[in-house]
Amino acid sequence: MMKTFAQKLSYTFLLAVPILVTAMAFIFGHQSHWIYLPGWFLNMLLMFLAVKTLGDAKSETVRRVAWPLIMSWAPISVFAGMGPPPETAEGWAALAWEQQLRYCILILSGTFTTIGFLRMYNMLKSGPGSRFARVGKTMFLMALPLFIANMAYWGFFLTNVFVKYAQPGAPAKPNWLQTVSSAFTVVRMTEVTLIYLGTAVFAYALNRSGHLSRLASSIYIFFCCLGAILNLLPAGLPAPLAIASYVSYIPAITLLMPYLIGVNLLNKAK
């Protein structure tokens, strides 16, 4: 079936969203919420309309799978105006409410992604990719509570720590905070690895069932495996590897492959 101009435009826009959001976040940094909140609402509306347009004439099953995978990045797009998290404890404490909002948004996005993959399992469970879909479903059911715990740690526990101990004359941080930090490093490594590998398994299941081409599936699997490996690298590595490792476990990046799978799935489906 020939795609209309509106569908082609919608597909291009959805592919461009992560690129534009990331570029704006790192180039322009933090902006006033009076500026970025209206842009955020407009972008979410445009994404919703793009998904609706691209999903016209597609099966209800495919739309139900793709919708939460794609819309998981709609709330994340607010980071274009928020910028990356502050690099200092003082900066973090000064924007405490924004950091709490940031990680609440990520919890919502991670939940959307998991819902999308649970629906994908239901779509694939009776086909040739069923065994792999079952493995992917198990990985995401394991990853989601760890992901939520890690986002809550960064958004609320660490924010409260920075607010309390970044003030002039504040007491020294207790030693047990380092133990908690080490524990959540393990939590982060675990949940990020599960998300990447679960996404890779679902990409393979989609190929086995005929929903994705072998090339597309291979590309997703490659980048998911690369992200999982980089996420597990130890600290103290040279700059290129340290930067690559850091990027691999940024939550929005972790959720990027599921988003692109959702866009591809909705675009290719008959």
Side-chain angles (χ1 to χ4, degrees), residues 94-167:
L95 296 170
W97 74 269
E98 282 197 0
Q99 305 320 309
Q100 291 172 340
L101 176 60
R102 180 192 303 273
Y103 288 98
C104 284
I105 284 171
L106 287 167
I107 289 173
L108 177 64
S109 296
T111 303
F112 269 34
T113 297
T114 303
I115 290 171
F117 279 124
L118 292 179
R119 290 179 176 180
M120 187 180 294
Y121 165 74
N122 289 331
M123 181 178 74
L124 300 175
K125 65 182 181 181
S126 59
S130 60
R131 289 183 299 171
F132 301 98
R134 188 177 302 111
V135 173
K137 172 188 174 183
T138 302
M139 287 182 171
F140 271 93
L141 289 176
M142 294 170 60
L144 182 60
L146 297 176
F147 179 85
I148 292 174
N150 194 34
M151 296 305 98
Y153 166 74
W154 280 88
F156 294 91
F157 180 82
L158 274 188
T159 297
N160 289 333
V161 167
F162 291 149
V163 169
K164 180 177 181 179
Y165 293 104
Q167 304 300 324

Side-chain angles (χ1 to χ4, degrees), residues 17-31 73 76-87 102 243 246-253 256:
V17 166
I19 299 172
L20 294 175
V21 168
T22 304
M24 292 176 67
F26 283 95
I27 292 173
F28 299 108
H30 182 268
Q31 304 294 315
W73 250 80
I76 287 175
S77 63
V78 73
F79 299 162
M82 281 187 179
E87 296 181 359
R102 180 192 303 273
I243 294 172
Y246 168 74
V247 170
S248 72
Y249 58 77
I250 294 175
I253 300 300
L256 179 57

Side-chain angles (χ1 to χ4, degrees), residues 188-190 192-193 226-235 245 248-249:
R188 182 264 298 171
M189 288 181 169
T190 304
V192 170
T193 301
L226 178 63
I229 293 170
L230 290 173
N231 158 68
L232 295 173
L233 292 179
S245 177
S248 72
Y249 58 77

